[in-house]
Amino acid sequence: MRFIPHEFALGGVYFPPLFIAWILAIIVSMLTVYLLNKYDLAKYFFYTPIVFIAFNIIYTIFFSLFVIPG
């Protein structure tokens, strides 16, 4: 049977798995938007903060489903 964590303990503080997935998604979203800006691909989007939020939602769902099941 597979072990599914219900929470993560860091320094005695318990965090839910979705929070950890969200923190990872913020980091990866910032990297993605940085690369879009660096390679001048952000000009093809109307409003880049909405693109950041969209990437954040997509990465949060991806991490919560496949990387950190909970």
Side-chain angles (χ1 to χ4, degrees):
M1 188 170 202
R2 198 171 109 181
F3 175 72
I4 299 174
H6 294 283
E7 55 206 14
F8 292 97
L10 297 174
V13 179
Y14 294 105
F15 296 105
L18 187 61
F19 180 73
I20 303 298
W22 179 65
I23 294 297
L24 289 173
I26 286 178
I27 294 169
V28 176
S29 296
M30 287 180 5
L31 177 67
T32 303
V33 171
Y34 170 76
L35 291 174
L36 285 173
N37 287 329
K38 181 179 178 183
Y39 292 114
D40 205 26
L41 296 173
K43 67 182 177 183
Y44 296 110
F45 297 106
F46 175 69
Y47 193 58
T48 52
I50 292 178
V51 173
F52 173 75
I53 293 171
F55 275 127
N56 197 356
I57 292 170
I58 291 168
Y59 287 140
T60 301
I61 293 170
F62 175 77
F63 288 143
S64 67
L65 288 178
F66 299 114
V67 178
I68 304 175

